Amino acid sequence: MDHSNCPVKLTASIIGGKWKPSLLFHLEGRTRRFCELQRLIPGLTKKMLTQHLRELERDGIVHRKVYAEVPPRVEYSLTRHGESLKPILKLMSAWGTRHRARYGLTTARPQKPEMPCNPVDTTVPGAPLNSHLPRHVVAGEEIRDSKASA
């Protein structure tokens, strides 16, 4: 299958990511101001909020209305095209609820810490050199297995 024409990949590229689904959820059926969206989504920086709203506006998902007032007032809402995402968002919400119930997750899976570009020697003085290998206990004696890690 040619993945460059995959509709699922296209949809994920438009509404996927860390913050866009939350933005769409909070805009569903409501008009919101920038600072209101910022308050509703903890951890979302002003820069990332601006970037994602611009992308969603560019893709025809979000409408941006600027009022000629001082101070300027800007409101965001879903376009008709954006409203067509409601069934997808509802299915995602239902799936997430079932997944959480099944696996007992209360939040998204924690991300792996990034490895440094230039690894440093992190061995603990006195620790065996094979401490990174899977350990097995045979007859009460610990054995490190170099074949099990491959």
Side-chain angles (χ1 to χ4, degrees):
M1 176 178 185
D2 180 12
H3 290 287
S4 62
N5 292 323
C6 177
V8 173
K9 188 174 181 180
L10 173 64
T11 304
S13 72
I14 293 171
I15 67 167
K18 185 174 182 178
W19 304 112
K20 285 182 184 177
S22 294
L23 277 170
L24 295 170
F25 172 79
H26 288 297
L27 287 171
E28 187 178 334
R30 297 202 53 187
T31 298
R32 305 252 190 200
R33 294 181 71 177
F34 185 92
C35 55
E36 188 179 2
L37 288 167
Q38 205 171 13
R39 275 193 307 270
L40 287 168
I41 308 172
L44 177 57
T45 65
K46 185 177 180 179
K47 177 184 175 187
M48 290 308 296
L49 177 56
T50 301
Q51 179 182 326
H52 289 312
L53 286 169
R54 284 181 182 161
E55 290 172 1
L56 289 167
E57 183 182 11
R58 178 199 66 209
D59 292 329
I61 306 298
V62 167
H63 173 73
R64 179 178 186 258
K65 184 171 183 173
V66 181
Y67 292 88
E69 299 175 354
V70 177
R73 179 169 52 127
V74 181
E75 293 180 341
Y76 296 90
S77 59
L78 293 178
T79 62
R80 181 175 287 171
H81 186 54
E83 293 283 342
S84 72
L85 291 167
K86 280 183 181 181
I88 295 170
L89 296 171
K90 287 187 186 312
L91 286 170
M92 288 173 66
S93 177
W95 186 90
T97 300
R98 286 191 311 273
H99 183 79
R100 179 176 42 219
R102 182 176 185 175
Y103 294 102
L105 300 175
T106 56
T107 61
R109 183 180 321 148
Q111 295 191 359
K112 293 181 183 178
E114 289 188 29
M115 295 295 294
C117 293
N118 297 320
V120 293
D121 184 14
T122 57
T123 56
V124 177
L129 293 176
N130 63 356
S131 61
H132 66 286
L133 298 174
R135 67 176 220 159
H136 302 281
V137 178
V138 178
E141 189 174 328
E142 183 179 309
I143 300 172
R144 297 284 177 169
D145 186 5
S146 61
K147 292 179 184 169
S149 65

